[in-house]
Amino acid sequence: MPQRYWISNGGRALETFGAYLPQKPAEHLISEHSGGCRELANTAHFHIDLDGNYLPGLCAGLAIQRDDLGSPLSTEKYPLLSRLYAGGIGALFRYATNEFGFVPAAGYALKCHLCYDIRHFLALGEDRRFEELQPEGHYLYG
Ligand code: SF4
């Protein structure tokens, strides 16, 4: 299917198709993508979720409240998005491992695959809540 249709390898699509792509260790992907995720600032194509939140880039499962658009994002309110934009997947990985004990799988297809696995782990933790991981039901499956 990925060879016949254009599929954006993000969000839950990676749970379906990620296993069919070559896998790399998390450290390898992090060293390949040392800069911030500039995809987040791309407004050429975007979505609005069912709650009215803005989904930056094609990063399904990350959300910015509509009222927060047009001005710098608060690092306290958006700790994950801020880290991803400033330091990329490596910054998110360090935050998740150091603060919450995230343990990576043996391999991932893309940096976005690792990003989604980290966000999935963070979203389902009982002792924490990240407003930017929306819509709520997005992380309940898989
Ligand atoms: S690593 Fe995460 S924030 Fe960066 S482009 Fe991929 S899904 Fe978006």
Side-chain angles (χ1 to χ4, degrees):
M1 219 176 119
Q3 290 170 343
R4 288 172 174 244
Y5 299 96
W6 184 82
I7 290 179
S8 172
N9 274 316
R12 292 194 302 232
L14 279 166
E15 291 184 349
T16 306
F17 300 112
Y20 298 99
L21 300 169
Q23 308 288 303
K24 297 177 182 175
E27 294 76 14
H28 191 140
L29 287 164
I30 289 167
S31 67
E32 280 182 348
H33 301 281
S34 56
C37 286
R38 291 298 174 261
E39 298 92 326
L40 292 167
N42 183 356
T43 56
H45 181 111
F46 61 87
H47 293 202
I48 301 289
D49 75 12
L50 71 170
D51 298 316
N53 296 315
Y54 173 85
L55 308 183
L58 292 175
C59 309
L62 285 167
I64 299 172
Q65 289 178 13
R66 205 167 29 186
D67 291 346
D68 292 332
L69 296 175
S71 53
L73 295 184
S74 154
T75 55
E76 287 174 12
K77 187 172 180 181
Y78 296 97
L80 309 181
L81 275 163
S82 300
R83 281 177 170 81
L84 283 162
Y85 187 72
I89 186 62
L92 180 68
F93 180 80
R94 287 186 290 278
Y95 180 60
T97 51
N98 295 340
E99 301 292 329
F100 301 102
F102 172 76
V103 177
Y108 296 93
L110 305 160
K111 69 169 184 172
C112 303
H113 195 190
L114 172 58
C115 180
Y116 185 75
D117 195 32
I118 294 172
R119 290 188 274 119
H120 194 257
F121 167 79
L122 293 175
L124 297 185
E126 286 178 6
D127 55 344
R128 52 188 180 257
R129 175 161 168 76
F130 294 94
E131 293 289 338
E132 56 204 314
L133 297 181
Q134 301 281 347
E136 237 173 26
H138 183 82
Y139 294 97
L140 293 180
Y141 306 99

